[in-house]
């Protein structure tokens, strides 16, 4: 049986504009599914005059009638999620068809505290965590001492017993290692557990829902959060997120078989950004970087932190193309490059006397990598109203061709502004 799915994944270090691309494509789908991460995702989506900032919720939520799934592999913060839902309702968006996996883990208040305390202890090399408790929540999941949404559906007595047991262990850490105050059940009862209980109507066995929908011919879009280079296994470890945004993560995090995964659309900015620490070979530390940061409004949606700016890294992009089986690229923030005299793409790295064309697994090697650049002439024309490839300035088209040659895959979409109608279609990525 043929399934109709598309995966929209970040091909860089996150913040690629996946929210806008998913929102643009969501019209063609029945379900939009998130499968990993938590409220560290920060999609900004512009619809008409309204700007929506989404953290847990997939961008499909902005399309009436679409089913939105927060899948098994996610970690959820009930307080933030409730605030997100209320914020949407205030703007007239009613989440009628939201489904939250009973298998998804809950981020507890002590996870956020642990995030802070652990980052503080890393005196020299900070990871740059978003302090949302996501890392500690995943740690507890793998230590098999997490709380899952489904735990709220059982008896109150069983829940309290389980929580007390977890708190007893956690409090040892807080009081003995961190010299911090312990947590009590009453603390959790203040705001946290009421918010979590309020989500109960949305709890479902989402993997089963997705399976049934696919059997009935529904079209499913899998929406990645963060990006390939932040993947816990395949990214720039330890400067990574705690989950697998790469295509393999879909099977685990949504609970679907590999044969269900269809074409993969890799979203990439026309340049590179990253937040947090770690080596960044194509980083631009001069006025050009500042200009791109200002024009592209490169400040984190979740944290407000200024993002580090670099030229497009073709080596990292090929890594993403290979790992995810990217068939098409969606280039975003293309308009931001207008007015630059020269634009560069790194096609390889030089390490000492050697030239390498693959992304090295070791950060020590990455630190020594000097990018080998292809150099392009820029353009002066405003691109934000351009509707077709043929109307792009010749130098912009040459740059796109350079990206295709470097990455080895065609560019399907070019985004020239945050709105849905600021999208140039070169190839129909999903028929
Ligand atoms: P995401 O988490 O991958 O969705 O990325 P973010 O939401 O953090 O960053 C994308 C930002 O760029 C948002 O503010 C979008 O509204 C904006 N954006 C998306 N595509 C474009 C584009 O093509 N041009 C411009 N100028 N802004 C864009």
């Amino acid at each position: 049986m043929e399934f109709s799915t598309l995966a929209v994944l970040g091909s860089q270090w996150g913040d690629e504009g996946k929210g806008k691309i998913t929102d643009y494509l969501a019209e063609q789908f029945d379900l939009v599914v998130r499968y990993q991460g938590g409220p560290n995702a920060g999609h900004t989506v512009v619809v008409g005059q309204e700007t929506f900032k989404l953290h847990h919720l997939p961008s499909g939520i902005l399309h009436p009638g679409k089913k939105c799934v927060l899948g098994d592999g996610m970690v959820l913060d009930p307080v933030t999620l409730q605030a997100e839902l209320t914020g949407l309702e205030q703007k007239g968006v009613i989440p009628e068809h939201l489904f939250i996996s009973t298998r998804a883990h809950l981020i507890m208040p002590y996870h956020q505290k642990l995030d802070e305390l652990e980052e503080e202890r890393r005196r020299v090399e900070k990871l740059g965590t978003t302090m949302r408790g996501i890392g500690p929540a995943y740690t507890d999941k793998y230590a098999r001492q997490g709380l899952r949404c489904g735990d709220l559906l059982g008896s109150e007595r069983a829940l309290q017993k389980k929580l007390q047991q977890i708190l007893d262990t956690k409090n040892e850490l807080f009081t003995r290692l961190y010299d911090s105050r312990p947590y009590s059940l009453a603390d959790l009862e203040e705001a946290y557990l009421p918010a979590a209980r309020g989500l109960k109507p949305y709890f479902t066995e989402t993997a089963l829902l997705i399976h049934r929908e696919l059997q009935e011919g529904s079209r499913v879009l899998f929406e990645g959060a963060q990006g390939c280079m932040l993947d816990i296994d395949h990214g720039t470890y330890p400067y990574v997120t705690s989950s697998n945004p790469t295509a393999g993560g879909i099977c685990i995090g949504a609970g679907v078989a590999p044969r269900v995964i269809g074409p993969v659309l890799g979203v990439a900015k026309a340049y590179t950004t990253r937040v947090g620490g770690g080596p960044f070979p194509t980083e631009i530390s001069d006025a050009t970087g500042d200009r791109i940061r200002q024009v592209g409004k490169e400040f984190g949606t979740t944290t407000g932190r200024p993002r580090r700016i670099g030229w497009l890294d073709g080596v990292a992009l090929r890594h993403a193309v290979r790992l995810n089986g990217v068939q098409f690229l969606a280039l975003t923030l293309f308009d931001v490059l207008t007015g630059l005299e020269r634009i560069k793409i790194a096609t390889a790295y030089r390490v000492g006397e050697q030239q390498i064309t693959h992304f090295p697994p070791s950060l020590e090697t990455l630190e020594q990598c000097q990018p080998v650049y292809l150099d392009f002439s820029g353009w002066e024309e405003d691109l934000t109203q351009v509707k077709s490839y043929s109307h792009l300035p010749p130098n912009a088209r040459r740059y796109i061709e350079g990206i295709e040659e470097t990455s080895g895959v065609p560019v399907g979409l070019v985004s020239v502004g945050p709105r849905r109608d600021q999208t140039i279609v070169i190839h129909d990525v999903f028929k």
Side-chain angles (χ1 to χ4, degrees):
M1 183 172 181
E2 284 267 325
F3 298 112
S4 302
T5 69
L6 176 75
V8 178
L9 310 182
S11 307
Q12 295 161 317
W13 279 269
D15 310 314
E16 295 94 348
K18 296 173 295 294
K20 140 125 200 208
I21 298 296
T22 314
D23 174 70
Y24 171 77
L25 294 167
E27 198 47 53
Q28 304 174 56
F29 294 84
D30 304 294
L31 265 82
V32 182
V33 177
R34 269 199 63 186
Y35 56 92
Q36 46 72 232
N40 49 344
H43 295 325
T44 309
V45 183
V46 181
V47 183
Q49 299 303 314
E50 290 281 13
T51 299
F52 296 89
K53 294 201 187 262
L54 303 171
H55 297 291
H56 291 91
L57 296 166
S59 316
I61 202 85
L62 304 176
H63 291 260
K66 305 292 171 193
K67 291 188 173 126
C68 287
V69 173
L70 303 185
D72 307 330
M74 287 188 73
V75 291
L76 311 174
D77 173 355
V79 177
T80 312
L81 180 50
Q82 289 284 10
E84 227 173 306
L85 290 169
T86 310
L88 283 180
E89 278 172 30
Q90 282 164 354
K91 291 185 176 179
V93 178
I94 310 297
E96 288 169 280
H97 305 293
L98 175 64
F99 301 90
I100 300 176
S101 169
T102 46
R103 290 187 168 91
H105 277 247
L106 289 165
I107 302 170
M108 310 295 287
Y110 50 77
H111 288 138
Q112 287 153 7
K113 188 73 192 164
L114 274 173
D115 227 352
E116 272 171 44
L117 293 169
E118 284 172 8
E119 186 76 341
E120 242 167 60
R121 272 171 74 88
R122 291 181 200 111
R123 280 175 214 285
V124 190
E125 282 290 329
K126 304 237 181 255
L127 288 186
T129 133
T130 54
M131 303 286 184
R132 302 271 155 159
I134 288 153
Y138 275 114
T139 305
D140 273 358
K141 165 176 167 170
Y142 289 104
R144 289 163 293 178
Q145 52 183 15
L147 194 75
R148 307 204 295 181
C149 292
D151 289 320
L152 290 162
L153 297 174
S155 77
E156 265 303 312
R157 241 185 85 211
L159 175 66
Q160 303 281 324
K161 194 173 155 204
K162 185 162 189 170
L163 276 173
Q164 191 57 62
Q165 202 174 338
I166 298 175
L167 285 183
D168 289 345
T169 318
K170 283 281 168 266
N171 284 338
E172 292 276 319
L173 261 184
F174 283 118
T175 55
R176 288 171 189 248
L177 179 65
Y178 291 112
D179 201 17
S180 180
R181 79 166 183 87
Y183 279 83
S184 68
L185 278 177
D187 289 332
L188 302 185
E189 219 34 272
E190 248 171 51
Y192 184 82
L193 285 173
R197 289 188 192 103
L199 295 173
K200 282 206 260 186
Y202 301 113
F203 292 167
T204 316
E205 197 177 339
T206 51
L208 202 54
L209 170 84
I210 299 168
H211 177 77
R212 287 188 180 141
E213 289 279 341
L214 285 169
Q215 296 281 337
E216 284 165 16
S218 288
R219 314 217 282 184
V220 178
L221 189 154
F222 297 105
E223 174 178 326
Q226 294 89 42
C228 176
M229 303 312 289
L230 294 175
D231 186 281
I232 183 93
D233 291 292
H234 302 287
T236 41
Y237 191 89
Y239 301 99
V240 290
T241 197
S242 316
S243 60
N244 293 107
T246 41
I250 299 172
C251 294
I252 307 293
V256 296
R259 71 193 178 109
V260 164
I261 314 293
V264 175
L265 177 67
V267 185
K269 277 182 190 177
Y271 46 93
T272 306
T273 60
R274 64 174 299 194
V275 285
F280 184 2
T282 64
E283 185 158 21
I284 318 171
S285 309
D286 58 17
T288 304
D290 294 338
R291 178 193 166 135
I292 294 175
R293 183 178 304 106
Q294 292 307 327
V295 178
K297 301 192 182 77
E298 294 294 358
F299 300 87
T301 309
T302 300
T303 59
R305 287 184 292 194
R307 294 173 181 152
R308 297 162 70 190
I309 311 288
W311 296 117
L312 188 74
D313 188 334
V315 184
L317 200 53
R318 281 197 301 270
H319 185 72
V321 164
R322 174 173 54 81
L323 278 168
N324 293 304
V326 169
Q327 264 159 332
F328 288 106
L329 287 173
L331 285 183
T332 56
L333 291 115
F334 201 77
D335 52 302
V336 171
L337 298 183
T338 290
L340 295 183
E341 212 173 303
R342 313 291 310 170
I343 301 173
K344 296 179 187 185
I345 305 177
T347 55
Y349 298 146
R350 199 166 291 121
V351 192
E353 297 297 296
Q354 259 190 333
Q355 187 153 309
I356 57 171
T357 51
H358 66 275
F359 200 85
S362 131
L363 286 197
E364 283 78 39
T365 311
L366 192 62
E367 251 158 29
Q368 297 162 35
C369 286
Q370 295 299 324
V372 178
Y373 283 122
L374 267 181
D375 210 286
F376 295 82
S377 300
W379 58 89
E380 287 294 332
E381 295 89 334
D382 170 31
L383 305 185
T384 56
Q385 305 305 321
V386 175
K387 302 285 177 223
S388 70
Y389 184 69
S390 59
H391 287 105
L392 283 170
N395 283 350
R397 278 182 281 165
R398 246 169 250 133
Y399 183 53
I400 293 173
E401 283 164 19
I403 295 171
E404 291 182 325
E405 271 165 34
T406 307
S407 66
V409 284
V411 171
L413 300 173
V414 182
S415 172
V416 289
R419 292 197 321 265
R420 282 176 194 166
D421 63 352
Q422 292 175 304
T423 312
I424 299 170
V425 179
I426 304 179
H427 297 285
D428 198 350
V429 296
F430 184 77
K431 289 210 184 74

